[in-house]
Amino acid sequence: MIKMRKSNYLQLSENKDREAYNLLLNCRHCLKDQLNNFISDNRIKQYQHQKLIERVDYKNGFCYRLTDKGYKEFDRQLGKENMRYHSQSIAHDIMLSYKYIQIHKENENIIWKNEEDLKSIKRDMIKELKEQGNYERMEQLERMSVPDSLYINDGISIGYDVVTDNYSNMDIQLKEEFCNEIGASFQSDRI
């Protein structure tokens, strides 16, 4: 008799796994308690066992982020609603994760755009202005910066940014200008 090897394959569910994936996709790093808003400790262990997420140590403890395998597997099984957010600052991302969770708890119908999504929107706007021959507005838009995220709730758009000590007043102003350009208000929190 041939022994069948037990599959270690993890089937992702449409609901909770999608919510956990969206948190990690849009914020990059998150704490265990932040991830627990969407999935259980057991599910986190399953993700780690399958090498979908990895534990990352930093000065205040540890957090989690998706692995390359995790991005691919979640995309394959669930698809993605946003582009892959890139960041180098764990503290920044954890604060962004708190905002992401808060906003989604207040209203489950939130539309969230991360920084990479906004950069793509900005590139499309610049291309359109160039095609129209509106070079002055194009140059103004090129100087503007996108915030970390934009969320839309009941038709109201709000740009949000986690401000670090590296930001100058001009950096913040350029993010506010971009938000004004797309008809959004601007909020920030400082770490």
Side-chain angles (χ1 to χ4, degrees):
M1 183 171 164
I2 299 174
K3 260 190 167 180
M4 297 297 282
R5 216 170 120 203
K6 185 179 176 186
S7 171
N8 288 332
Y9 183 73
L10 179 65
Q11 183 66 37
L12 299 174
S13 73
E14 184 63 29
N15 296 327
K16 298 236 180 243
D17 290 319
R18 176 175 296 285
E19 291 174 358
Y21 175 50
N22 283 335
L23 170 66
L24 290 161
L25 179 68
N26 286 300
C27 301
R28 183 150 164 81
H29 296 94
C30 70
L31 299 173
K32 184 176 171 288
D33 69 319
Q34 292 172 323
L35 206 46
N36 282 142
N37 280 280
F38 306 110
I39 57 173
S40 67
D41 286 346
N42 187 43
R43 196 64 164 172
I44 292 172
K45 287 177 187 169
Q46 290 174 337
Y47 283 7
Q48 284 185 283
H49 180 73
Q50 294 291 317
K51 298 190 180 353
L52 301 178
I53 63 172
E54 61 187 351
R55 179 182 154 148
V56 179
D57 294 321
Y58 74 110
K59 68 178 182 177
N60 295 335
F62 69 92
C63 62
Y64 295 100
R65 70 177 171 214
L66 287 162
T67 62
D68 285 337
K69 178 183 178 185
Y71 282 109
K72 290 174 188 167
E73 192 59 32
F74 277 101
D75 286 354
R76 188 183 70 72
Q77 288 193 46
L78 301 175
K80 65 180 177 179
E81 298 169 12
N82 300 90
M83 297 176 85
R84 183 175 175 177
Y85 172 70
H86 302 280
S87 171
Q88 300 302 318
S89 172
I90 292 173
H92 172 279
D93 295 352
I94 289 171
M95 188 160 195
L96 184 60
S97 293
Y98 278 120
K99 184 67 169 186
Y100 180 92
I101 292 165
Q102 173 200 348
I103 294 301
H104 282 82
K105 279 185 175 181
E106 290 172 3
N107 185 335
E108 61 187 40
N109 296 319
I110 291 289
I111 297 170
W112 183 277
K113 301 288 182 194
N114 66 39
E115 184 175 9
E116 296 305 318
D117 298 323
L118 295 173
K119 286 178 180 177
S120 177
I121 290 168
K122 180 181 168 184
R123 282 190 297 271
D124 290 346
M125 291 169 67
I126 289 170
K127 182 180 175 187
E128 188 176 316
L129 288 169
K130 185 176 182 177
E131 289 171 358
Q132 295 169 356
N134 194 340
Y135 298 110
E136 186 177 330
R137 284 206 50 227
M138 182 187 83
E139 289 171 3
Q140 289 171 344
L141 185 59
E142 285 175 331
R143 286 190 293 271
M144 296 176 196
S145 296
V146 299
D148 292 325
S149 63
L150 176 98
Y151 59 94
I152 304 167
N153 183 11
D154 293 330
I156 299 170
S157 299
I158 301 167
Y160 176 75
D161 207 81
V162 176
V163 177
T164 66
D165 291 339
N166 299 337
Y167 283 47
S168 69
N169 287 337
M170 180 58 77
D171 292 330
I172 296 168
Q173 182 180 336
L174 293 172
K175 290 173 186 286
E176 288 176 2
E177 287 177 16
F178 178 78
C179 288
N180 287 336
E181 183 71 24
I182 61 171
S185 60
F186 179 77
Q187 294 178 348
S188 64
D189 287 313
R190 184 173 287 277
I191 57 170

